[in-house]
Amino acid sequence: PTQGTRVDNPYVGVPGYVNPEWKAKAESVAGGNRVSNNPTAVWIDRIAAINGTDDSSSNGAMGVRDHLDRALTQGAGYIQFVIYNLPGRDCAALASNGELGPDELPRYKAEYIDPIAAIQADPKYRNLRIINIIEIDSLPNLVTNTSGKPGGTVMCDTVKANGAYVNGIGYALTKLGAIGNVYNYIDAAHHGWIGWDSNFSPTAQILKDAAVASGSTVNNVHGFIVNTANYSALKETNFKVTDSVNGTTVRQSKWIDWNYYVDELSFAQAFRNELVSKGFDSKIGMLIDTSRNGWGGSARPTGPGPLTSVDAYVDGGRIDRRIHAGNWCNQSGAGLGERPKAAPEPGIDAYVWIKPPGESDGSSEYIPNDEGKGFDRMCDPTYTGNARNGNSMSGALPNAPISGAWFPAQFAQLMQNAYPPLS
């Protein structure tokens, strides 16, 4: 390492960076000052965001160096960035597509990763714990959304075949991991995506493949994050995956659909063990994004569902109130989850707010923009679904702006349905 000495858990014992751009947006909504001092991540979702984008609907005028300088001024101990600009990004979605085509790995390296690494390596930041969340919603797509899989896409086939994701992430880990005070956490999806046997171990393996690609080693990976920008409940307290109703396993219910996991905490802890078995360090830590998985409010169940059938039992008791666990865009009824917290459970480095609450997942109709962001029907509340969400309604809020843009109606609902509740 060129500078700094890594600690076991970068979240312990120091305050997190409060992004003033998000703080101002949060405080523009009534009651937002109750949560506006929580640390949230800074998303670097295109090359221009490295230096700041005055005219963007998502990023603000502050660039990477501006945020690092402000973190020093605040006296923050850690700052979180989302590295999010892979070639052919989000190959199975449209609302969050990026600016780089699937064959533009050289641009990703030279114009995106290299400049970020150069800024983060500045010795003036050596006492800051710089946490990078590496390329959300990328590697698991190579397992679940290629040809022959429900909803498989040509783009996912392309980036799997040409190595854009594996080699791009390996390169990012190599460059950023060379900085002694940088901590890299790779995105590892969520239980409702890779909790099945057919996805669980293969996803861990492709994460390992990326960690040793492009000259990287597993030593460049400090841990992994689950539930990034998603809504899966932290703990389902009213039923367990081992429960049965009248002799029928709850895994047979429509909601669980034979998954081996029903919430993010149990999944994160189990997946951590699987990753260690694939060759990652036994000290790796997991992060869970709890920014929007609280599911409080009047719809929150107070106990188990009726024992009339497995579906009634699970649907009546589940904390996660989505129509289907595959629904991911601006979910109606969601609430703020656990506030950011270090070392909350064994194997978990922190609960974090990586997706800044109130920033849209995608627009409910196509909105012209110069940020490379498209429109996905999963963000349309009238959409009746596809194979990936069991042909269910999307559950999305109406009138949403493009991904990353401020969505005040959503933020107000997230506060209303917060769990633990806001005072």
Side-chain angles (χ1 to χ4, degrees):
T2 57
Q3 62 187 77
T5 301
R6 292 193 184 99
V7 297
D8 178 58
N9 184 346
Y11 288 89
V12 168
V14 292
Y17 172 64
V18 178
N19 180 351
E21 294 181 326
W22 177 78
K23 177 180 167 72
K25 289 185 281 192
E27 292 178 354
S28 72
V29 178
N33 61 342
R34 295 173 294 173
V35 294
S36 60
N37 284 313
N38 280 296
T40 56
V42 175
W43 287 56
I44 315 171
D45 66 355
R46 54 193 175 123
I47 292 167
I50 298 170
N51 291 319
T53 49
D54 288 315
D55 58 344
S56 169
S57 60
S58 49
N59 314 101
M62 296 175 69
V64 173
R65 187 174 289 280
D66 297 318
H67 285 291
L68 287 164
D69 288 341
R70 185 64 67 89
L72 294 179
T73 302
Q74 282 185 13
Y78 71 83
I79 183 172
Q80 303 165 109
F81 291 101
V82 178
I83 306 299
Y84 186 52
N85 199 32
L86 274 176
R89 187 178 78 194
D90 277 13
C91 60
L94 298 171
S96 44
N97 289 163
E99 64 185 350
L100 299 179
D103 58 349
E104 292 193 275
L105 183 58
R107 281 194 70 198
Y108 176 78
K109 294 178 177 180
E111 297 179 40
Y112 181 70
I113 294 298
D114 287 357
I116 293 171
I119 295 169
Q120 292 188 353
D122 189 324
K124 72 187 285 190
Y125 307 125
R126 64 185 178 276
N127 293 322
L128 262 179
R129 300 171 185 177
I130 300 173
I131 294 160
N132 291 316
I133 306 301
I134 306 294
E135 295 294 354
I136 64 167
D137 287 354
S138 56
L139 295 171
N141 272 315
L142 305 186
V143 174
T144 65
N145 292 320
T146 51
S147 289
K149 305 293 176 66
T153 70
V154 171
M155 181 63 84
C156 289
D157 286 344
T158 299
V159 292
K160 183 174 184 177
N162 71 10
Y165 283 13
V166 166
N167 291 316
I169 288 173
Y171 185 81
L173 292 170
T174 300
K175 294 290 289 190
L176 300 169
I179 307 165
N181 55 309
V182 160
Y183 301 77
N184 295 319
Y185 290 82
I186 308 178
D187 185 76
H190 56 88
H191 90 275
W193 185 352
I194 60 168
W196 290 268
D197 276 359
S198 54
N199 301 336
F200 192 81
S201 184
T203 299
Q205 183 59 54
I206 206 160
L207 291 166
K208 169 70 182 308
D209 295 345
V212 297
S214 302
S216 181
T217 73
V218 293
N219 295 328
N220 290 320
V221 181
H222 202 76
F224 296 83
I225 181 169
V226 301
N227 204 45
T228 313
N230 209 268
Y231 299 87
S232 297
L234 180 65
K235 302 175 185 177
E236 286 289 2
T237 54
N238 295 324
F239 63 90
K240 302 185 296 294
V241 74
T242 53
D243 288 350
S244 295
V245 176
N246 301 322
T248 302
T249 172
V250 295
R251 291 185 60 229
Q252 193 171 318
S253 68
K254 187 176 180 182
W255 172 257
I256 299 175
D257 192 26
W258 299 102
N259 201 319
Y260 276 101
Y261 301 93
V262 296
D263 57 30
E264 289 306 297
L265 179 59
S266 64
F267 167 73
Q269 291 171 325
F271 198 57
R272 178 185 177 281
N273 292 336
E274 182 70 16
L275 290 159
V276 171
S277 79
K278 290 287 192 278
F280 287 101
D281 191 284
S282 61
K283 295 181 180 178
I284 57 170
M286 305 297 287
L287 306 177
I288 303 176
D289 189 348
T290 58
S291 58
R292 304 182 302 178
N293 71 347
W295 295 104
S298 59
R300 185 182 180 88
T302 56
L307 293 171
T308 50
S309 70
V310 288
D311 284 321
Y313 177 68
V314 171
D315 288 340
R318 59 184 168 92
I319 302 300
D320 185 340
R321 303 312 298 170
R322 285 179 293 178
I323 298 168
H324 188 277
N327 288 353
W328 55 266
C329 195
N330 301 323
Q331 290 299 285
S332 179
L336 301 171
E338 289 280 350
R339 310 329 166 230
K341 181 181 181 182
E345 297 278 354
I348 310 299
D349 278 357
Y351 298 151
V352 291
W353 282 10
I354 296 304
K355 176 68 173 180
E359 293 190 2
S360 174
D361 295 317
S363 55
S364 41
E365 60 184 9
Y366 178 68
I367 298 173
N369 68 91
D370 62 358
E371 299 175 35
K373 294 173 181 176
F375 155 62
D376 196 299
R377 288 298 306 279
M378 287 296 287
C379 303
D380 175 1
T382 69
Y383 184 47
T384 55
N386 56 43
R388 289 203 295 271
N389 83 330
N391 297 111
S392 305
M393 297 298 290
S394 71
L397 290 167
N399 305 314
I402 65 169
S403 62
W406 187 243
F407 191 7
Q410 183 189 44
F411 187 62
Q413 186 178 86
L414 290 170
M415 290 192 292
Q416 176 185 338
N417 294 331
Y419 193 89
L422 299 176
S423 57

